[in-house]
Amino acid sequence: PPRSTPKPSSAASDVYKRQSLNPIFYLNRGVIFQKNGIDPLNDFNKAYHLDNKNWRVSKSLSNYFYDLGNYKKANKILERSYENDISNYIIGMDYVKSLVKLKKYELAISTLKNLNILPYEHAGEGRDLYSSAYIGLALENIKKSKFKSALDILFESKIWPENLGVGKPYNPDERIENYLIYYCLEKLNLIDRA
């Protein structure tokens, strides 16, 4: 979405100038601005300043920075929001997503283990984050030639924990995991080349 700040039309200028002490006012106005190509950052910041414990406000502000590629800033906001309510799996998933982008795989994995994502239709995001975190951690170990550790991580990545909100399909796509497992076994000279 464009981040330029076009001048609001005269009809919208009253809304643009309006002030409030209600964070939801700024959140909603920011969302409307964003949908109309107007930069919502000032309103998202104002909403966050008024109520940084409101997860919807935190999510909107962090998504703004995440979409710009500023994963550190998004992570800082999400970490605070997640610590306010560790039972909020929506913020928890966004927090894990920012951790994966920052390559903090171990923290992402431990956070995922504590999340309880409710099942919903197309609930594959929790599993995707799980795979990304485990594969990222395994690749870090492979780069350091820690093939045995990488194998343990890769075998664990193929587990389908119930708390991720989605069950294991009949025939899951595990080609990346299987390739990396084979690669590690080969490096450890555990492949029989008969």
Side-chain angles (χ1 to χ4, degrees):
R3 299 284 180 213
S4 62
T5 310
K7 290 249 184 206
S9 67
S10 59
S13 65
D14 289 340
V15 173
Y16 192 75
K17 294 176 186 175
R18 188 169 280 165
Q19 301 291 313
S20 174
L21 294 177
N22 184 340
I24 303 306
F25 169 80
Y26 292 103
L27 174 64
N28 288 333
R29 188 171 73 173
V31 169
I32 291 168
F33 284 170
Q34 192 171 37
K35 288 183 180 180
N36 287 290
I38 301 170
D39 189 2
L41 181 59
N42 289 337
D43 279 0
F44 288 165
N45 274 330
K46 181 74 172 177
Y48 188 74
H49 175 73
L50 290 170
D51 186 4
N52 60 27
K53 292 189 184 212
N54 182 318
W55 72 268
R56 287 181 174 88
V57 170
S58 297
K59 182 172 175 55
S60 293
L61 183 59
S62 66
N63 283 347
Y64 176 88
F65 289 117
Y66 189 92
D67 291 344
L68 290 176
N70 191 340
Y71 306 121
K72 282 185 180 180
K73 199 152 193 171
N75 176 263
K76 185 177 178 185
I77 295 162
L78 290 165
E79 180 179 26
R80 184 175 187 175
S81 185
Y82 180 68
E83 288 172 357
N84 284 334
D85 182 8
I86 60 171
S87 68
N88 185 331
Y89 70 89
I90 295 169
I91 287 295
M93 286 195 307
D94 280 358
Y95 177 51
V96 169
K97 188 167 35 168
S98 71
L99 290 170
V100 168
K101 283 290 188 181
L102 294 172
K103 299 182 179 188
K104 296 182 177 182
Y105 302 118
E106 290 185 47
L107 184 54
I109 290 167
S110 69
T111 303
L112 276 170
K113 287 180 178 178
N114 293 316
L115 279 182
N116 285 309
I117 301 169
L118 295 177
Y120 60 95
E121 196 157 343
H122 308 295
E125 187 178 7
R127 176 63 194 180
D128 292 343
L129 292 170
Y130 181 87
S131 293
S132 296
Y134 274 92
I135 290 171
L137 185 58
L139 287 171
E140 281 187 350
N141 279 273
I142 289 169
K143 287 177 189 173
K144 296 174 186 172
S145 297
K146 296 181 177 179
F147 301 112
K148 176 67 175 101
S149 295
L151 273 176
D152 294 340
I153 293 163
L154 289 164
F155 283 122
E156 192 171 346
S157 77
K158 294 174 75 167
I159 297 171
W160 286 71
E162 289 183 23
N163 66 313
L164 296 180
V166 63
K168 183 176 181 178
Y170 173 69
N171 189 15
D173 184 359
E174 296 174 336
R175 289 177 289 180
I176 294 171
E177 293 90 336
N178 291 338
Y179 171 79
L180 292 172
I181 288 169
Y182 183 86
Y183 179 84
C184 290
L185 290 172
E186 193 173 54
K187 289 292 185 181
L188 292 168
N189 293 318
L190 297 174
I191 299 291
D192 185 18
R193 300 241 179 218

